[in-house]
Amino acid sequence: MAGLTAPLLGLQKKSLREQALSALRTAITSGELEPGRHLVETELSEMLQISRGTLREALRQLEQEGLVSAGPRGRLSVRHLDEKEIRDIYAVRAALESLAARTLCELPDRQHVTESLHKAIDAMTAATSGSLEDRIESDLEFHRTLCRLTGNETLLHSWESLEGSIRMSIMFAGLEKGVSNMSVDRHNDIVAAIDTGDASLARKTILEHMDAAAANLVA
Amino acid sequence: MAGLTAPLLGLQKKSLREQALSALRTAITSGELEPGRHLVETELSEMLQISRGTLREALRQLEQEGLVSAGPRGRLSVRHLDEKEIRDIYAVRAALESLAARTLCELPDRQHVTESLHKAIDAMTAATSGSLEDRIESDLEFHRTLCRLTGNETLLHSWESLEGSIRMSIMFAGLEKGVSNMSVDRHNDIVAAIDTGDASLARKTILEHMDAAAANLVA
DNA sequence: TGTAAGTCGACTGTTTACAGTCGGTATTAG
DNA sequence: CTAATACCGACTGTAAACAGTCGACTTACA
């Protein structure tokens, strides 16, 4: 009985590919693999202790997510974002999240929505005294929840495809600037707007939030 | 000199992976691989005459694009869309394209934009007498152009990630219904709206177009 | 007969080794 | 000093192999 190798509390074991994917995402968005850094397959596969084939599958996905970009002859490197790209990313993010906000306004069970969002804000509050990473994490979790609660899987998937780029934007702009807009108050405004059920108000609130966040990053 | 294996008229030769990706996309969105169909790696790799490793890289991307979905133990099958999913896909599509329309309104060189879009509409007109596939193709090309002209690479990329799902939606709903909304007139309205430079009008026009298209598919 | 255990086959996950190709770089001949 | 050559690093693609898993089928036993 004792000596279980892993708790497995509802966790399903992930494939090596998924583990590699997570590891690479973290390495990139944490800056451990700096933008522009050339990624050599053999190096990475040795580093991660996986075969090249498995690694390549993970790299394809990172490419799709925009974390790495392909140069001539398939050469991969960590993507470098300039200010225009950050603005562009945030414009798309704003479009997706404003759809989410509008959708939530038209949901029958808005009670549950408000509840879940408040819970996410509580997590942000709890993280205020924590590390920078924790604060970023809880902020993104709030916005991910926003998308998830719509029940629109495509929307959630599109947002998650953008998540890596969003993280890179925050990192690129410097962590201090990046988190300064993550105040709990601003997020309460969003929930309040959704709670009124006024779709255009909710949309407006999100767009302002995104504008402020983007302006903050590239200012 | 004679006997070139391929014309290569300005075409850059694509990697086997990319070729496989295109072939699979076409096979799925054309219905040759019907929704729900279980995809066996060894079968496909033999069919496409490529190795399993290369195939798996292509499959990862199709998974990301939502054309195939993973079942238990990594079993892949062609994705099946129900009506809700189609509506959801079109909601996201509408959000992206309305961003595109709004962005185009604020562009300095709107002359060039209008020109390019008219050219795309001309292609649609030319396709009216062509095959169903051609009509769908030219319609999607118009909308892709809409996104491309914004100069927002992230927007274009997000739209293209959705393109496969859009094609599946059209196919699923039955080709007759799917193309009935692809009238040239409607697209002229969109260009006209953008041409006025009125962002909210352009947004409204696109949203109506998308609503009509989605309603048509699931009606 | 009914069911529980054992077997087989089909697939995926993953690894290893190897051939081919393309550029860049260093070396060497003129 | 220049140019042809050889080499090397890195990516693309391939083939073969093995383990793990699950479903289906078979078989043996109560």
Side-chain angles (χ1 to χ4, degrees), chain A residues 44-73:
Chain A
L44 288 181
S45 66
E46 184 164 352
M47 222 171 270
L48 296 169
Q49 292 285 294
I50 60 175
S51 71
R52 260 187 56 227
T54 304
L55 172 71
R56 285 172 61 109
E57 289 183 43
L59 287 178
R60 279 320 142 212
Q61 188 154 347
L62 288 179
E63 200 180 344
Q64 191 80 3
E65 288 177 19
L67 291 186
V68 309
S69 59
R73 282 189 312 291

Side-chain angles (χ1 to χ4, degrees), chain B residues 192-208:
Chain B
I194 291 172
D195 205 33
T196 65
D198 182 341
S200 63
L201 172 63
R203 173 170 182 266
K204 190 167 145 287
T205 309
I206 277 278
L207 291 183
E208 279 170 7

Side-chain angles (χ1 to χ4, degrees), chain B:
Chain B
M1 267 103 170
L4 283 176
T5 54
L8 296 178
L9 297 169
L11 304 173
Q12 39 197 334
K13 72 178 157 194
K14 293 193 292 184
S15 64
L16 285 185
R17 168 174 45 87
E18 286 170 298
Q19 290 175 237
L21 196 48
S22 301
L24 287 172
R25 265 204 219 98
T26 303
I28 291 176
T29 59
S30 76
E32 188 184 328
L33 292 173
E34 70 279 13
R37 160 94 166 235
H38 180 195
L39 299 176
V40 179
E41 293 181 357
T42 48
E43 269 180 27
L44 288 181
S45 66
E46 184 164 352
M47 221 171 271
L48 297 169
Q49 292 287 295
I50 60 177
S51 68
R52 262 182 76 210
T54 305
L55 172 72
R56 284 172 61 99
E57 289 184 46
L59 288 177
R60 280 316 142 218
Q61 189 155 345
L62 287 180
E63 200 180 344
Q64 193 79 5
E65 289 178 19
L67 290 187
V68 308
S69 58
R73 281 184 314 290
R75 237 85 165 183
L76 295 180
S77 50
V78 178
R79 187 175 169 201
H80 174 82
L81 298 178
D82 60 26
E83 298 206 343
K84 174 181 185 307
E85 286 171 311
I86 293 180
R87 268 190 295 268
D88 285 352
I89 289 167
Y90 268 72
V92 175
R93 181 185 176 183
L96 293 176
E97 296 199 21
S98 76
L99 167 62
R102 276 188 295 131
T103 305
L104 291 178
C105 285
E106 285 150 16
L107 237 49
D109 180 15
R110 213 152 58 254
Q111 172 70 32
H112 172 245
V113 168
T114 310
E115 214 167 274
S116 301
L117 289 178
H118 276 307
K119 210 174 293 179
I121 290 185
D122 288 345
M124 289 183 65
T125 309
T128 6
S129 55
S131 71
L132 220 50
E133 285 74 20
D134 287 348
R135 279 189 284 161
I136 295 176
E137 194 53 53
S138 65
D139 177 79
L140 289 177
E141 176 58 28
F142 172 86
H143 292 277
R144 193 186 302 112
T145 301
L146 203 69
C147 293
R148 188 186 304 114
L149 288 171
T150 63
N152 183 334
E153 286 294 322
T154 302
L155 173 56
L156 177 59
H157 185 264
S158 294
W159 190 89
E160 286 177 338
S161 296
L162 210 58
E163 186 176 345
S165 296
I166 296 171
R167 291 186 126 99
M168 284 199 78
S169 299
I170 297 174
M171 181 195 74
F172 173 81
L175 296 174
E176 332 73 46
K177 290 161 68 182
V179 292
S180 68
N181 197 52
M182 296 176 182
S183 80
V184 170
D185 285 349
R186 284 190 157 284
H187 290 78
N188 271 322
D189 289 348
I190 295 172
V191 181
I194 291 172
D195 205 33
T196 65
D198 182 341
S200 63
L201 172 63
R203 173 170 182 266
K204 190 167 145 287
T205 309
I206 277 278
L207 291 183
E208 279 170 7
H209 182 74
M210 286 296 124
D211 265 4
N216 201 339
L217 289 180
V218 299

Side-chain angles (χ1 to χ4, degrees), chain A residues 28-118:
Chain A
I28 291 176
T29 58
S30 75
E32 189 184 327
L33 292 174
E34 71 279 12
R37 160 93 166 237
H38 179 198
L39 298 176
V40 179
E41 292 181 357
T42 50
E43 270 179 27
L44 288 181
S45 66
E46 184 164 352
M47 222 171 270
L48 296 169
Q49 292 285 294
I50 60 175
S51 71
R52 260 187 56 227
T54 304
L55 172 71
R56 285 172 61 109
E57 289 183 43
L59 287 178
R60 279 320 142 212
Q61 188 154 347
L62 288 179
E63 200 180 344
Q64 191 80 3
E65 288 177 19
L67 291 186
V68 309
S69 59
R73 282 189 312 291
R75 240 82 166 183
L76 294 180
S77 51
V78 178
R79 186 172 168 205
H80 175 82
L81 298 179
D82 60 25
E83 297 206 343
K84 174 180 184 310
E85 286 171 310
I86 292 180
R87 268 190 295 268
D88 285 352
I89 288 167
Y90 268 71
V92 176
R93 181 185 176 184
L96 293 176
E97 295 199 22
S98 77
L99 167 61
R102 276 189 294 130
T103 305
L104 291 178
C105 284
E106 285 150 18
L107 238 49
D109 180 16
R110 214 153 57 256
Q111 172 70 31
H112 171 246
V113 168
T114 309
E115 214 168 272
S116 301
L117 289 177
H118 276 307

Side-chain angles (χ1 to χ4, degrees), chain A residues 114-129:
Chain A
T114 309
E115 214 168 272
S116 301
L117 289 177
H118 276 307
K119 211 173 292 180
I121 291 185
D122 287 345
M124 291 184 63
T125 308
T128 0
S129 54

Side-chain angles (χ1 to χ4, degrees), chain A:
Chain A
M1 263 111 170
L4 284 177
T5 55
L8 294 178
L9 297 169
L11 304 171
Q12 39 199 330
K13 70 179 158 191
K14 292 195 293 185
S15 64
L16 285 186
R17 167 172 47 88
E18 286 170 300
Q19 290 175 238
L21 195 49
S22 300
L24 288 172
R25 264 203 219 98
T26 303
I28 291 176
T29 58
S30 75
E32 189 184 327
L33 292 174
E34 71 279 12
R37 160 93 166 237
H38 179 198
L39 298 176
V40 179
E41 292 181 357
T42 50
E43 270 179 27
L44 288 181
S45 66
E46 184 164 352
M47 222 171 270
L48 296 169
Q49 292 285 294
I50 60 175
S51 71
R52 260 187 56 227
T54 304
L55 172 71
R56 285 172 61 109
E57 289 183 43
L59 287 178
R60 279 320 142 212
Q61 188 154 347
L62 288 179
E63 200 180 344
Q64 191 80 3
E65 288 177 19
L67 291 186
V68 309
S69 59
R73 282 189 312 291
R75 240 82 166 183
L76 294 180
S77 51
V78 178
R79 186 172 168 205
H80 175 82
L81 298 179
D82 60 25
E83 297 206 343
K84 174 180 184 310
E85 286 171 310
I86 292 180
R87 268 190 295 268
D88 285 352
I89 288 167
Y90 268 71
V92 176
R93 181 185 176 184
L96 293 176
E97 295 199 22
S98 77
L99 167 61
R102 276 189 294 130
T103 305
L104 291 178
C105 284
E106 285 150 18
L107 238 49
D109 180 16
R110 214 153 57 256
Q111 172 70 31
H112 171 246
V113 168
T114 309
E115 214 168 272
S116 301
L117 289 177
H118 276 307
K119 211 173 292 180
I121 291 185
D122 287 345
M124 291 184 63
T125 308
T128 0
S129 54
S131 70
L132 220 49
E133 285 73 20
D134 287 348
R135 277 190 284 161
I136 294 176
E137 193 53 52
S138 66
D139 177 79
L140 290 178
E141 176 58 27
F142 172 85
H143 292 277
R144 192 187 302 113
T145 301
L146 203 68
C147 293
R148 188 187 303 114
L149 288 172
T150 63
N152 184 333
E153 286 295 321
T154 301
L155 173 56
L156 177 59
H157 185 263
S158 294
W159 190 90
E160 286 177 337
S161 297
L162 210 59
E163 186 176 346
S165 296
I166 296 171
R167 293 185 124 98
M168 283 199 79
S169 300
I170 296 174
M171 181 195 75
F172 173 82
L175 296 174
E176 333 73 44
K177 290 161 68 184
V179 293
S180 68
N181 198 51
M182 297 178 182
S183 81
V184 170
D185 284 350
R186 283 192 158 284
H187 290 78
N188 270 321
D189 290 347
I190 295 173
V191 180
I194 291 172
D195 206 31
T196 66
D198 182 342
S200 63
L201 172 64
R203 172 171 183 265
K204 189 167 145 288
T205 309
I206 276 279
L207 291 183
E208 278 170 7
H209 182 74
M210 286 296 122
D211 264 4
N216 200 339
L217 290 180
V218 299

